[in-house]
Amino acid sequence: MALNNLERYAAGVDRSVLFGTLAEHPGAVPLLARLGGSSQVLADVLRRRPSSLAWLLEPATMRLWFAEDLAADLAQTLGPFETRAARMNALRRFKYRHLLRIGARDLLGDADLSLTTEELSHLADACLVEAMRIADGEARRTYGAPVAADGSPAGLAVIAMGKLGGDELNYSSDIDLMFVYDADGETAGGESGRLANGEYFARVCRDLVALLEEVTEEGYAFRVDLRLRPEGRMGGIVLSLEGYRAYYRERVELWERQALIKARFCAGDAAVAARFFDLVRPFVFRSGVDPDIVAAVRGMKAQIDRSLRAKGVQRRHVKLGVGGIREVEFLVQALQLLYSGDDPWLRGRNSLRAIFRLTERGYLSQSLGRFLGEALVFLRTVEHRLQILDEFQTHTLPEDPASLGRLARRLGSTLPPAEARRRFEAEYRRVTHGVHQAFSEFFAAPPVARESAPRIPTYTALKATGFTDPDRARQNLRLVLEGRPLVPYAEPMRRALHAMFPVLLEALWQSPDPDEALNQFERFLAAAGPRTAYLELLAERPDLLANLVKLCARGELLTELLVTQPELLNGLADPSTFAAPRRRSHFRQALAPALGPRLTLSERRDRLRRLKQAEELAITWRMLLGVTDAERFSREMTALAEAALAAAWLLALGETAESHGVPRDAKGGLIDASIIGLGKFGGRELSTGSDLDLFVIYGRAGETDGAERVEAHVFYDRAVETLSSILGDVTAAGIVVPVDLRLRPGSKGSGFASSLDALGQYYREWADPWERQTLTRARLVCGERRLGRAVRREIRALVYGPEAAPPDLKEMRALRGRMQKELGKETSGRLHVKFGRGGLVDVEFITQAIQMTHGRRHPAIRSPHTVTALTAIGRAGLLPADEAETLAEHYRFLRRVSADLRLFGARPTDTLDMAGPIPARLAKSLEYPSRKDFLEDYKRRTTWVRALYDRMVPP
């Protein structure tokens, strides 16, 4: 075949030129051999247009073409032609030229299945847009523009369905379409008078179909299938939005909901399409689980099987046969219909991407998801190689061995045809058997349990092993063992629950708080719902289950992340979670997808929340398991916050610049800004639930260059306000991190951002002593570096420069007293780790008093990080070395207690209630023999800290 096609090609060209091309271009021979030996239709295209060979050999040709590239090329192709017939022939030449390019890349292995089908779909889109433009243009000249009853223009949208909607088009696929217009009315009138909008758009749609299907001397563009529209062949070719609403409300069938999963706008009026998708979404993706879906899909597949059995091709039909493409699609779409009403992430149009998302969310196990994805790629590739031969819409494997051997060779085998056929048949049997097994198990009736469930421990046994509420514990264990109804794979879930139950009991008995651990674990299982993969993962990994129970014992705060996003468990199972310490570069890379293209503003914000929460959970997981200590935990939490801040700042600047342009000075130079962190953020001491103390400084005065101009200070005020919203607003995806702007220069009496000049002026002329004290923990965290260095110099001058006022120890002590009284509120039954006597703030005030007193002469002690500063203070002799070391050790202890209180969800934050269960949980978490030992050590440490505070910051 390859040799015959090469000879036919050579007969129609100048052989000297051909031989020169073959000699000069190393890729020419493989290209001609592959095309000629694999596809008669592509070989014929090349023979009819011999110059296409030179085009294919250009580097700029054999690449991925995006939709806009194809649109531009089509416009250039049609440019010289004016008549309808000439333009339609040019359209067909364009289609076959790019079909030749796409097929060549596919056959040579330069593009995988996803890229190939996506390009074929984009090619169809480009042709549809042009056909729509011609059909609508001619109709407007004849009848005038369509107008709605309210006088507004009426529009038409073309909705791609099936493989075209999913960007999965084959070489010889029909393109499934539906048409929708927005409102009834009448055209404005033209050469032939007026028409009702419904009739006008029906004429446009019929003409569009004819433009694509008509066979000319250049062939046809695409076959169009309209049977997915309401009432199929019996229904109108186009409906209004209101017509679709009435139909779907009263008569929608399950197969129509199934088909609409793949619906995509491809041509016409995008606003009409958006309204259409808003209209159909509630009909397709329904909240809750519909138990009738599985039976209905099973019935549809049974009808297909009966039809194929009658034709005798049940085992050879790649698309509809046993273990074929349709079984994969039905399984995926059933899962989407069952669960995507409550989980929008599953609403992918593309089957491969949907499998990935179902696996990521745990509805499919990792092994099954991987197999189904690979099986779909294999079966689709077989389908492609069947159709690329003659561009026939065939899905059936040939019966004769020779043809089957040639198919195997087209699939890339280099073996002799007979051996290639045997290998292919074996692989085809393996894949289709596995697909059919997965399909059958999913749609089978729930199995009858063949073995008894594990026994739930008695009240006495649970009481003896540390449960304070055995009755509730027994109820929770019963809920764990019962699993969830309507799961996709009930038998694997039952096996997983039974296998993990003994490990779960052992982990609960070893946890700091068995009751809380079980409460939160049951919440996680309830949230995981039908996602069997998570239970199978826990059953296979007893270490992961034990560690998860440790996390659950920390209370609701951490578990809430897993409850809202159970898929985060996959990250905790990843060995890389326990790799080397994470740095800001790692977190920036992890959060980068939030800034990806083609995302709406709300999608970017939600993605930033989810990505940040996943990283925060991994950091905490590492600390709980001893991979990192409390010090490293805080540094990683701070690095994560900096990465989230950097991403959010880019989003905030982008949103603000979209309205106002960018700020520039009188010379046209860009006015930059920097962000300064304070408090625990500045000191790299963040913990779970910490907010970000910060302020923003911009360079100088100026004005934006956009349509709606504002001064630079207004621009940055609005950018900071947007930043605070991006990071701190609570949405369905949770929160990134709260922002606290109260320590900014001027606080409530000023804007959200200050200029560099205003910064210095404020702190020299108006700031209270406590405000200058906060600058001891100032650190550049984000923004323009040169400006940041200038801000840092200014802050050092304000705190440590020759003109800086010495610390007012009397005022400092008065402030500390107010904080202890108004914020600490300690009693005999309640302690406060941060604001109480001898707490964290005592250590920080001691450190800052020494820094402000001696920092001018000892630059090494100026670190915003408290422990680092205390180490330098001890080395400089400003505190006895043993006292500095002891103070640092007590500070580490208090921070660990504070971090654990936050993880336990203590309210108010940093509060230690003596009467509750928290002291005992802290004692176990911090490895004290008993609650009493912990409290005695806490009192000893805080008493020592307060004594030193009284000495260093005397009354």
Side-chain angles (χ1 to χ4, degrees):
M1 179 178 171
L3 186 60
N4 287 338
N5 279 316
L6 179 59
E7 192 280 328
R8 293 174 69 204
Y9 177 78
V13 299
D14 185 328
R15 295 199 175 211
S16 64
V17 174
L18 172 62
F19 294 150
T21 300
L22 297 179
E24 292 173 9
H25 292 272
V29 172
L31 174 63
L32 287 172
R34 203 75 173 136
L35 282 176
S38 300
S39 174
Q40 189 59 54
V41 64
L42 295 183
D44 290 343
V45 170
L46 186 60
R47 183 174 53 81
R48 286 198 303 270
R49 295 280 183 270
S51 61
S52 296
L53 177 61
W55 180 68
L56 289 175
L57 293 173
E58 294 176 8
T61 299
M62 296 294 277
R63 59 173 176 84
L64 173 64
W65 287 52
F66 296 102
E68 51 269 27
D69 298 327
L70 291 167
D73 190 47
L74 178 57
Q76 185 176 8
T77 300
L78 298 178
F81 305 101
E82 295 182 1
T83 67
R84 172 179 170 129
R87 292 177 74 85
M88 285 300 94
N89 277 327
L91 177 72
R92 283 150 176 75
R93 289 193 295 273
F94 163 82
K95 179 246 182 168
Y96 279 105
R97 183 170 74 250
H98 280 283
L99 189 69
L100 178 64
R101 177 187 61 81
I102 295 167
R105 276 169 44 82
D106 178 17
L107 292 169
L108 291 171
D110 293 344
D112 63 14
L113 177 75
S114 294
L115 289 178
T116 300
T117 58
E118 188 173 286
E119 281 207 81
L120 288 169
S121 301
H122 289 168
L123 178 61
D125 288 349
C127 295
L128 272 165
V129 169
E130 178 59 23
M132 173 76 175
R133 194 188 66 76
I134 293 174
D136 189 56
E138 292 182 357
R140 284 174 185 264
R141 285 193 296 273
T142 305
Y143 300 107
V147 180
D150 62 2
S152 61
L156 172 73
V158 183
I159 308 299
M161 305 288 286
K163 285 187 171 65
L164 178 60
D167 288 328
E168 301 164 315
L169 212 59
N170 289 336
Y171 287 106
S172 187
S173 292
D174 293 349
I175 55 174
D176 295 296
L177 301 177
M178 293 202 311
F179 303 103
V180 55
Y181 67 94
D182 54 353
D184 287 318
E186 191 178 51
T187 63
E191 299 169 358
S192 299
R194 300 173 184 268
L195 274 184
N197 284 354
E199 177 58 25
Y200 171 89
F201 286 123
R203 286 174 181 255
V204 171
C205 296
R206 284 192 290 269
D207 195 25
L208 181 152
V209 172
L211 285 165
L212 294 174
E213 289 193 327
E214 180 183 345
V215 179
T216 73
E217 61 266 28
E218 298 292 348
Y220 69 96
F222 290 94
R223 296 182 300 270
V224 178
D225 190 336
L226 303 177
R227 288 176 296 174
L228 295 181
R229 70 188 189 270
E231 300 187 68
R233 291 190 179 94
M234 303 300 294
I237 193 171
V238 61
L239 290 178
S240 67
L241 287 169
E242 190 54 45
Y244 275 105
R245 179 180 288 107
Y247 178 84
Y248 288 135
R249 184 173 55 235
E250 298 169 8
R251 303 175 59 184
V252 66
E253 300 285 347
L254 178 67
W255 69 266
E256 291 172 301
R257 292 175 57 198
Q258 203 172 339
L260 284 167
I261 292 173
K262 289 184 175 292
R264 174 177 65 84
F265 167 67
C266 64
D269 192 322
V272 174
R275 291 172 62 192
F276 173 78
F277 290 124
D278 288 341
L279 181 156
V280 302
R281 194 172 295 116
F283 297 109
V284 181
F285 305 111
R286 298 175 180 176
S287 184
V289 177
D290 183 352
D292 296 329
I293 287 175
V294 173
V297 175
R298 187 193 300 123
M300 283 190 282
K301 184 60 173 66
Q303 289 181 355
I304 294 172
D305 289 345
R306 284 193 294 271
S307 173
L308 293 179
R309 275 197 300 271
K311 298 176 183 178
V313 294
Q314 191 180 15
R315 294 285 174 183
R316 295 188 294 109
H317 204 287
V318 179
K319 181 178 180 180
L320 303 178
V322 173
I325 293 169
R326 188 52 53 90
E327 289 194 359
V328 179
E329 291 178 333
F330 272 19
L331 195 158
V332 169
Q333 289 165 8
L335 285 168
Q336 289 178 298
L337 289 173
L338 280 168
Y339 305 118
S340 60
D342 298 315
D343 191 349
W345 178 243
L346 303 180
R347 299 174 188 175
R349 297 185 301 268
N350 182 278
S351 296
L352 271 177
R353 295 191 193 106
I355 290 171
F356 170 80
R357 293 183 179 192
L358 287 163
T359 306
E360 183 186 48
R361 283 288 204 260
Y363 296 93
L364 295 172
S365 69
Q366 292 286 335
S367 57
L368 180 57
R370 188 181 307 110
F371 170 76
L372 289 176
E374 292 171 353
L376 186 58
V377 170
F378 172 78
L379 293 169
R380 279 268 168 83
T381 304
V382 173
E383 185 181 43
H384 275 221
R385 295 298 180 267
L386 287 169
Q387 295 186 1
I388 202 172
L389 181 61
D390 294 303
E391 203 186 9
F392 293 157
Q393 194 178 23
T394 179
H395 307 278
T396 306
L397 296 179
E399 288 188 89
D400 76 282
S403 297
L404 205 55
R406 288 193 292 271
L407 172 64
R409 298 271 295 182
R410 290 202 300 275
L411 285 163
S413 175
T414 58
L415 296 170
E419 180 61 22
R421 172 183 58 80
R422 287 191 290 272
R423 293 280 183 91
F424 166 74
E425 287 177 324
E427 180 65 5
Y428 187 80
R429 283 194 300 270
R430 183 189 71 83
V431 169
T432 53
H433 174 77
V435 168
H436 189 62
Q437 182 178 8
F439 179 86
S440 300
E441 288 179 358
F442 178 84
F443 290 101
V448 177
R450 293 186 296 274
E451 58 186 61
S452 59
R455 293 183 59 185
I456 295 174
T458 64
Y459 179 99
T460 304
L462 291 173
K463 189 75 174 177
T465 51
F467 285 91
T468 59
D469 189 351
D471 285 328
R472 184 177 180 185
R474 283 175 57 82
Q475 175 61 19
N476 279 334
L477 290 171
R478 193 172 294 111
L479 291 173
V480 168
L481 280 176
E482 286 175 358
R484 296 293 174 269
L486 291 172
V487 298
Y489 290 98
E491 180 59 19
M493 174 174 277
R494 186 190 66 80
R495 289 197 302 266
L497 286 170
H498 290 189
M500 66 185 240
F501 195 72
V503 181
L504 172 64
L505 290 176
E506 181 66 25
L508 290 170
W509 294 335
Q510 297 296 325
S511 70
D513 188 337
D515 293 272
E516 186 66 16
L518 180 54
N519 289 342
Q520 299 304 330
F521 183 79
E522 196 282 323
R523 287 185 69 223
F524 167 72
L525 286 192
R531 294 178 248 197
T532 310
Y534 297 143
L535 298 182
E536 292 183 277
L537 180 61
L538 291 173
E540 293 167 1
R541 294 274 305 275
D543 59 323
L544 180 65
L545 175 58
N547 292 335
L548 177 60
V549 171
K550 287 182 184 178
L551 186 142
C552 290
R554 299 289 170 156
E556 183 175 338
L557 186 66
L558 276 178
T559 314
E560 190 64 32
L561 293 178
L562 279 171
V563 168
T564 55
Q565 301 181 73
E567 62 274 10
L568 294 180
L569 185 66
N570 290 324
L572 301 183
D574 187 347
S576 67
T577 302
F578 306 100
R582 306 292 176 88
R583 303 188 184 280
R584 186 166 62 175
S585 58
H586 163 84
F587 295 123
R588 287 198 170 193
Q589 184 177 2
L591 302 186
L595 303 175
R598 301 179 184 176
L599 296 175
T600 65
L601 295 177
S602 62
E603 286 173 338
R604 286 178 174 171
R605 292 186 178 203
D606 278 359
R607 185 169 292 190
L608 180 60
R609 280 161 171 73
R610 294 184 186 279
L611 292 170
K612 188 265 182 181
Q613 289 163 5
E615 293 299 321
E616 180 177 350
L617 188 62
I619 292 171
T620 308
W621 183 261
R622 287 153 55 83
M623 193 263 289
L624 293 178
L625 302 183
V627 178
T628 57
D629 57 15
E631 182 72 22
R632 185 69 222 176
F633 166 75
S634 290
R635 287 189 175 273
E636 290 188 359
M637 288 290 287
T638 304
L640 174 59
E642 290 174 9
L645 174 65
W649 184 234
L650 286 176
L651 293 177
L653 290 175
E655 292 183 28
T656 311
E658 194 171 323
S659 300
H660 304 294
V662 298
R664 299 187 181 277
D665 59 21
K667 296 181 180 180
L670 183 66
I671 301 173
D672 291 308
S674 292
I675 302 180
I676 307 301
L678 301 165
K680 284 185 169 56
F681 188 30
R684 293 189 173 95
E685 297 170 354
L686 293 182
S687 183
T688 304
S690 295
D691 53 17
L692 304 186
D693 292 304
L694 58 84
F695 61 74
V696 174
I697 301 297
Y698 60 92
R700 54 202 174 277
E703 187 180 60
T704 60
D705 60 5
E708 185 184 340
R709 298 195 171 198
V710 294
E711 293 182 0
H713 75 87
V714 175
F715 175 89
Y716 279 113
D717 276 355
R718 292 179 182 174
V720 174
E721 195 170 10
T722 302
L723 172 71
S724 181
S725 170
I726 292 172
L727 291 175
D729 285 356
V730 180
T731 71
I735 188 172
V736 182
V737 57
V739 173
D740 192 337
L741 299 169
R742 290 175 295 177
L743 298 182
R744 69 187 186 275
S747 190
K748 294 181 181 178
S750 67
F752 292 120
S754 300
S755 68
L756 180 58
D757 291 340
L759 170 75
Q761 183 180 12
Y762 174 79
Y763 282 105
R764 287 187 178 90
E765 299 180 9
W766 295 300
D768 290 328
W770 69 265
E771 292 180 280
R772 286 194 294 273
Q773 182 183 342
T774 64
L775 296 180
T776 59
R777 310 198 77 183
R779 180 174 63 87
L780 174 66
V781 294
C782 185
E784 207 279 320
R785 291 289 170 180
R786 182 179 299 178
L787 174 62
R789 288 192 290 271
V791 175
R792 187 162 52 202
R793 287 193 297 270
E794 182 67 33
I795 290 174
R796 284 176 178 171
L798 291 168
V799 181
Y800 304 114
E803 299 178 4
D808 186 337
L809 298 182
K810 183 177 180 180
E811 174 64 24
M812 188 181 288
R813 188 172 182 92
L815 172 64
R816 178 69 185 97
R818 291 197 300 273
M819 294 169 73
Q820 181 177 322
K821 180 180 178 181
E822 297 169 10
L823 301 176
K825 298 179 181 178
E826 287 190 316
T827 66
S828 58
R830 187 172 73 171
L831 303 175
H832 202 287
V833 178
K834 182 176 182 180
F835 295 114
R837 288 176 57 85
L840 288 165
V841 175
D842 272 9
V843 182
E844 291 163 1
F845 271 46
I846 292 170
T847 306
Q848 291 158 17
I850 296 173
Q851 286 177 310
M852 296 178 75
T853 302
H854 302 287
R856 186 185 311 168
R857 295 189 304 276
H858 299 277
I861 73 170
R862 298 175 184 175
S863 172
H865 183 256
T866 302
V867 171
T868 302
L870 284 172
T871 301
I873 286 169
R875 287 175 181 166
L878 303 174
L879 264 182
D882 60 334
E883 286 191 348
E885 185 177 346
T886 302
L887 185 59
E889 177 56 34
H890 291 336
Y891 188 68
R892 292 189 187 97
F893 167 79
L894 291 169
R895 281 182 54 202
R896 180 62 193 269
V897 174
S898 173
D900 277 14
L901 283 172
R902 289 169 180 265
L903 293 176
F904 287 139
R907 296 289 185 272
T909 305
D910 290 318
T911 299
L912 178 54
D913 282 313
M914 311 293 285
I918 295 296
R921 293 170 67 183
L922 281 170
K924 194 164 187 178
S925 173
L926 297 172
E927 298 182 347
Y928 280 87
S930 67
R931 173 183 183 277
K932 179 183 177 183
D933 290 317
F934 162 70
L935 291 174
E936 287 179 351
D937 193 41
Y938 181 91
K939 183 177 181 181
R940 178 186 66 81
R941 290 173 183 269
T942 53
T943 300
W944 190 94
V945 170
R946 176 45 66 102
L948 182 61
Y949 170 79
D950 287 339
R951 199 176 85 218
M952 300 304 298
V953 189

